[in-house]
C-alpha cells in the first residue's frame, strides 16, 4: 500500500510527527511504502481561487512546491495528515495544502480522485480537555469524504505541550500501531 504522510507542524520532531512516525513505521513493517513531506520546509501558497483547475487543466495550475505533494496524494492509497492545534485550528501549513485539494474536484463538482482512499488524521493539543477541539476532525473528515476518502481514522493526543510528551502517552502510541494494522488490513 502507498502512504503519503504530511507533517503540518514546524516541529518535525514534535508530538504530531512522533505519532505519525509510529504509524508509518508500523505500516512499513507491514509492507507499505511511505513518502513523508514536512510541509513547513516547502514554499507554497494557499488556493488562489483562480479556478484554473476547472477551466484550464485537471490539475492545480500554481507552480510551487505543493505540486509534487498534490501529485503524490493523487496516487496514494492512504493519506496521513498530522497537525497540532494552533489557536483552535489546524496549522496554516496544513490548511494551505487542504485548500489546494480544491483541484481534486471537477467543474461538475465530482471528485477526480480514484475512490477508496483512506485518511488518517493525527491531532495534538496542549489542552488536556478532550472536549476542546473535538470538532476539528469531523469537519475535515466530511470534506475528505467528498473527495474520495471514504474511510478515516483519528489518532489524538491531548495535554501534550512540549516535544516528547506524546511518546509518553502509551495509549496514543499504541493506537498509532493498531490504526496502522487496521488501515493496512
Ligand atoms: C502558535 C501556537 C498556538 C497554539 N494554540 C493552541 C491551542 O489553541 N490550543 C491548544 O490546546 N494548544 C495550542 N498550542 C499547543 C500545541 O498544540 C501543542 O504544543 C502540540 O502538542 C504541538 O504539536 P507538535 O509538537 O506536533 O508541534 C499552540 C502552540 C503554538 C506554537
Amino acid at each position: 500500500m502507498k502512504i503519503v504522510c504530511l507533517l503540518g507542524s514546524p516541529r518535525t520532531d514534535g508530538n504530531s510527527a512522533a505519532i505519525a512516525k509510529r504509524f508509518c513505521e508500523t505500516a512499513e513493517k507491514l509492507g507499505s511504502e511511505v513518502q513523508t513531506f514536512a510541509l513547513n520546509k516547502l514554499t507554497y501558497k494557499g488556493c488562489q481561487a483562480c479556478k484554473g483547475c476547472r477551466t484550464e487543466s485537471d490539475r492545480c495550475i500554481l507552480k510551487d512546491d505543493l505540486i509534487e505533494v498534490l501529485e503524490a496524494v493523487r496516487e496514494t492509497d492512504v493519506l496521513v495528515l498530522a497537525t497540532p492545534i494552533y489557536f483552535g485550528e489546524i496549522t496554516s501549513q496544513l490548511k494551505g495544502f487542504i485548500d489546494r485539494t480544491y483541484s481534486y474536484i471537477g467543474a461538475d463538482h465530482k471528485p477526480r480522485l480514484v475512490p477508496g482512499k483512506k485518511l488518517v488524521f493525527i491531532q495534538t493539543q496542549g489542552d488536556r480537555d478532550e472536549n476542546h477541539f473535538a470538532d476539528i476532525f469531523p469537519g475535515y473528515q466530511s470534506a475528505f469524504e467528498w473527495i474520495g476518502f471514504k474511510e478515516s481514522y483519528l489518532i489524538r493526543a491531548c495535554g501534550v505541550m512540549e516535544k516528547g510528551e506524546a511518546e509518553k502517552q502509551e495509549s496514543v502510541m499504541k493506537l498509532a500501531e493498531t490504526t496502522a494494522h487496521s488501515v493496512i488490513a
Side-chain angles (χ1 to χ4, degrees):
M1 236 179 206
K2 282 188 189 170
I3 298 179
V4 170
C5 174
L6 305 188
L7 303 178
S9 174
R11 301 200 298 195
T12 52
D13 56 350
N15 293 313
S16 52
I19 298 168
K21 191 172 172 210
R22 181 67 64 90
F23 173 88
C24 290
E25 283 176 353
T26 308
E28 274 177 327
K29 280 184 199 148
L30 296 169
S32 294
E33 187 189 305
V34 179
Q35 193 177 9
T36 300
F37 294 93
L39 293 176
N40 195 54
K41 293 186 177 156
L42 307 181
T43 304
Y44 57 93
K45 288 180 173 171
C47 176
Q48 300 296 296
C50 66
K51 305 273 174 111
C53 59
R54 305 257 167 110
T55 56
E56 290 176 38
S57 172
D58 63 352
R59 300 283 201 273
C60 178
I61 62 163
L62 296 182
K63 298 286 172 256
D64 61 20
D65 292 353
L66 216 53
I67 292 301
E68 188 189 351
V69 181
L70 287 165
E71 282 304 308
V73 173
R74 237 172 216 276
E75 302 302 321
T76 200
D77 303 302
V78 180
L79 173 62
V80 180
L81 299 178
T83 182
I85 294 296
Y86 276 7
F87 290 97
E89 250 298 345
I90 62 172
T91 61
S92 56
Q93 290 89 337
L94 183 58
K95 186 64 164 60
F97 160 77
I98 291 177
D99 288 352
R100 295 275 293 276
T101 66
Y102 190 75
S103 57
Y104 293 151
I105 302 159
D108 56 0
H109 299 284
K110 290 191 179 139
R112 290 167 165 161
L113 298 184
V114 176
K117 294 180 189 291
K118 300 177 186 183
L119 174 70
V120 177
F121 195 86
I122 295 169
Q123 178 179 322
T124 56
Q125 61 189 65
D127 196 325
R128 283 194 189 85
D129 190 338
E130 62 183 34
N131 294 312
H132 294 169
F133 320 120
D135 55 335
I136 303 285
F137 171 63
Y140 290 107
Q141 183 180 33
S142 58
F144 273 85
E145 194 178 331
W146 184 32
I147 57 171
F149 292 79
K150 299 286 180 226
E151 200 176 311
S152 53
Y153 301 81
L154 173 65
I155 309 167
R156 191 176 170 207
C158 302
V160 290
M161 192 62 84
E162 303 307 326
K163 287 185 199 177
E165 289 183 345
E167 286 105 314
K168 290 183 193 151
Q169 293 197 3
E170 278 178 32
S171 59
V172 171
M173 300 311 278
K174 189 74 200 156
L175 181 61
E177 291 175 16
T178 55
T179 303
H181 281 270
S182 306
V183 168
I184 306 307

